Amino acid sequence: MMRTLLYSLAPNWKSHLPVCTVLGLEEGKECIIVGTLYKHMKLKPCILDEYSKERSTAPLVKPHNFMHQDDYLFLEDESGRVKLGGTMLSPSVYVTGVVIALHGKETTAGDFFVEDVLEAGLPPQIERPLQSREDKYVVFVSGLTVGSGASNPLQFQLLVDHITGHLGDEEEQGLAADIVHLVIAGNSVEISRGLLNGQNLASKDQSRLSEPIKELDILLTQIAASLPLDIMPGSNDPANFSLPQQPLNRCLFPGSATYNTFRSCTNPHCFELDNIRFLGTSGQNINDLTEYSEAKDKIDFLERTLRWRHLAPTAPNTLGCYPFTDRDPFLIGSCPHVYFVGNQEKYETRLLKGSEGQLVRLICIPRFCETGVAVVLNMRNLECHALTFGTQFSS
């Protein structure tokens, strides 16, 4: 899919250059090649290291980031692979799995010297409806981790009371009345792993396992009674591990699932409200990019995935994903108006403008149990702000 797209963009980019395959490269002759990047990483852990006969002195602990200054890139197509040279393409920015077009020539050493780079760029976007007069808000929250030691039940209850209009003065309640949707982006519960050791569970342990989900259901029921909500699974939720994650089973939520406002969704999740297109994940795709590439801010990674037109370029290399054979569910065919990612360290946002007039609001949603921050987006003008909830106990 990406190759066809880049082939169609190449003539407008550099019409005078021929498009070659890796095998068809000729030394010194300038051309365009299209393929998938592969990043050779010195520090990337290999599963075979655990089984190697000579136990290396290198520890098997996982560093936070696997980048090294000696990393280098290859470009692969169906005919072969070639090592990339030149300073145009920084290995720290790209990851294995990105499909791009390169302009350059083969050197005497057999490398491909890159002179220019063409990424797919932002996909086409459906027009935003004419600006309405009224404010309509969508609230995003993630990382509730109900049941963990760090989770503060009162903080979550304050959020629930706020968005259902039970808190604050008239002005606050007026704002709450304009909230039309809530999105919970992953990691809503924490189930103690110590109990899951393959043994039969005693009845008291069974109730301890289900306690966090019951607590979550009680809170979600209060929300579902007053407004529509979408809940997405995250890396720590009781859902399948591989992306795309399937919706959390409705029988986990006997209270809230009785409301037709309650919607259990997949991760990644794509939906439309009033012709505004939302796309988001619970954070696995971006967290994986932070381990294998570098950026100044987390929000840069969101921008890159949109420019590459792919939600999860590192899957299935370093990110678990279901093996699709006929299509790629992570390709971004239509540009969203709002692109959100859950379970990040802090709240970040940016308005991204595309070359064809696309406008995208990028949002990093922080983990609520650590920060007490939810994010509010105004659908009228795509502006957004943070809502912070704090509790202090005086002794």
Side-chain angles (χ1 to χ4, degrees), residues 130-177:
L130 291 170
Q131 235 185 24
S132 67
R133 297 262 173 85
E134 52 193 40
D135 294 325
K136 281 187 179 179
Y137 298 103
V138 177
V139 177
F140 297 93
V141 66
S142 76
L144 298 168
T145 52
V146 173
S148 81
S151 157
N152 177 349
L154 181 55
Q155 208 167 324
F156 188 18
Q157 187 65 56
L158 282 173
L159 168 71
V160 172
D161 289 347
H162 179 82
I163 57 184
T164 52
H166 292 103
L167 264 191
D169 55 16
E170 275 181 32
E171 190 187 343
E172 286 284 320
Q173 288 179 340
L175 282 175

